[in-house]
Amino acid sequence: MNTQEQIVNAIKKFDTIIIHRHQHPDPDAIGSQMGLANVIKESFPEKHVYCVGKQYTGFNWLGTVDEIADDVYKDALVMVLDTANQPRVDDARYTKGKQIIKIDHHPNDDQFGDLMWVVPDASSTSELIYDLYSSSDDLKINAEAGRLLYAGIIGDTGRFKYPSTSAHTFAVAAGLAQLDFSTSDVNQIEDEIDLPLARLSAYVYQNIQILDSGAGYIVLTNEILKQLDLGDESTSAVVPLPGKLKEIKNWAIFVQQKDASYRVRLRSKGPVINEIAKQFGGGGHPLASGAVAKDDAEIKQVIAAISEAAKNYKGEIA
């Protein structure tokens, strides 16, 4: 029995299923979470399925989370999606269920759960959820699940632009597109920005620092975000922007938090950056990772590390 079959059997076995994803979610985290919930509900209407985590208004179009009491976890199957390591799981109650299943496409550095299905070469966790559905005659999919999974895929592939996009990714997207939802509507929503975000985009291009090594960085303080009428959750849309500049090989965006520390978003066109992220309390993919810098001194250390990686990189730029 392969891993997908074991996962489906677990879903069939439990009456209550609670689905978690990572903190500070992106479209793949929410799309895979909500998409799987819809697949399970469509397949087994009698089951109680909940999605938990913090609700972000910018992602209301992907659905809303459930507020559940602690005792709901008793005898429940807990599924943790798109979350590389345990400190990043949104809602710490994920350990209170009877069984934990981890489904993810990040490098499996933190191996947790009673059952793991981790495919680092997959474009997204949403792609894996479609593969899970495709692997079983017991699972059904509906248009809403298709919309959610498609949103997750285009979010994590940058509209099929990133190297993780494979022929299989296109096949999955084609399968989803046959369902009754508008792919163009999803593309439009994910591409839209409001005026504060447009002004932040302009600020990023005007103030990005590009080193001789090809590394780039920008620091977004609380003062800057306040001036632009933005919060941390609104900055994710500008993360890919430095990658459009041909002079840049890899980059870091430092976003100050309420406690004055910095959330670090690392991206790359070639130099591996997830090992750098691990040095600063984070992790992720070789070309897309996150970390934390507690102060200006650690910001300088991160910048030095990505600059060294860019300087030593001899391969082609994606």
Side-chain angles (χ1 to χ4, degrees):
M1 184 182 298
N2 63 30
T3 305
Q4 293 98 311
E5 291 172 329
Q6 293 179 62
I7 293 172
V8 173
N9 283 343
I11 291 171
K12 291 164 65 176
K13 175 183 175 182
F14 284 85
D15 293 326
T16 299
I17 300 166
I18 304 170
I19 308 175
H20 291 244
R21 37 79 175 162
H22 64 72
Q23 300 169 356
H24 304 293
D26 53 20
D28 184 37
I30 299 177
S32 61
Q33 178 191 38
M34 299 286 180
L36 176 59
N38 273 272
V39 167
I40 297 173
K41 291 175 183 177
E42 181 74 11
S43 309
F44 309 104
E46 73 283 0
K47 293 187 182 295
H48 304 286
V49 185
Y50 304 100
C51 294
V52 298
K54 183 179 178 180
Q55 182 71 35
Y56 290 85
T57 56
F59 287 129
N60 285 350
W61 66 281
L62 290 174
T64 55
V65 297
D66 301 296
E67 294 185 10
I68 60 175
D70 291 353
D71 59 7
V72 178
Y73 281 83
K74 182 181 179 181
D75 296 325
L77 171 64
V78 175
M79 305 184 75
V80 181
L81 307 186
D82 199 41
T83 309
N85 47 19
Q86 295 179 75
R88 292 202 70 205
V89 180
D90 196 341
D91 196 325
R93 295 178 295 174
Y94 74 98
T95 60
K96 295 184 178 296
K98 191 167 186 179
Q99 181 178 352
I100 300 176
I101 295 176
K102 174 184 180 182
I103 301 177
D104 190 26
H105 72 125
H106 298 89
N108 198 19
D109 295 324
D110 185 357
Q111 299 183 17
F112 64 93
D114 303 293
L115 182 60
M116 292 181 293
W117 184 34
V118 179
V119 186
D121 290 337
S123 73
S124 56
T125 301
S126 293
E127 180 179 305
L128 294 178
I129 299 305
Y130 183 86
D131 289 341
L132 182 68
Y133 147 73
S134 298
S135 72
S136 175
D137 293 335
D138 293 312
L139 297 182
K140 302 176 183 177
I141 197 168
N142 55 29
E144 178 62 6
R147 183 183 76 92
L148 292 161
L149 297 179
Y150 180 79
I153 290 171
I154 66 168
D156 253 29
T157 62
R159 319 299 187 274
F160 309 110
K161 183 174 63 178
Y162 300 150
S164 60
T165 306
S166 66
H168 180 64
T169 305
F170 285 113
V172 170
L176 292 170
Q178 295 178 46
L179 300 170
D180 188 19
F181 73 94
S182 171
T183 57
S184 60
D185 284 353
V186 176
N187 290 330
Q188 179 64 31
I189 292 171
E190 289 209 25
D191 203 41
E192 282 180 347
I193 59 173
D194 56 19
L195 279 174
L197 196 50
R199 294 186 180 106
L200 176 61
S201 300
Y203 182 88
V204 168
Y205 279 133
Q206 289 172 347
N207 294 277
I208 187 79
Q209 302 296 307
I210 305 175
L211 305 178
D212 291 342
S213 62
Y217 70 92
I218 188 166
V219 179
L220 302 176
T221 63
N222 286 326
E223 181 181 357
I224 292 168
L225 295 176
K226 184 177 180 180
Q227 291 173 359
L228 295 171
D229 194 26
L230 289 165
D232 173 27
E233 66 270 14
S234 301
T235 61
S236 60
V238 302
V239 176
L241 295 186
K244 296 179 183 292
L245 301 173
K246 64 180 181 180
E247 294 86 356
I248 287 183
K249 297 178 183 178
N250 58 5
W251 64 98
I253 296 182
F254 300 91
V255 184
Q256 193 171 31
Q257 307 295 292
K258 292 180 180 179
D259 64 358
S261 67
Y262 289 84
R263 181 181 179 189
V264 187
R265 290 182 165 107
L266 297 170
R267 297 294 185 269
S268 176
K269 298 178 186 176
V272 173
I273 44 84
N274 60 336
E275 294 301 323
I276 296 172
K278 292 176 186 177
Q279 298 173 31
F280 297 91
H285 300 285
L287 304 183
S289 294
V292 178
K294 64 183 180 182
D295 51 29
D296 291 342
E298 286 201 348
I299 286 178
K300 292 178 181 178
Q301 292 173 24
V302 173
I303 293 170
I306 65 170
S307 181
E308 187 69 14
K311 180 180 178 182
N312 294 333
Y313 181 69
K314 305 302 181 183
E316 295 183 2
I317 296 299

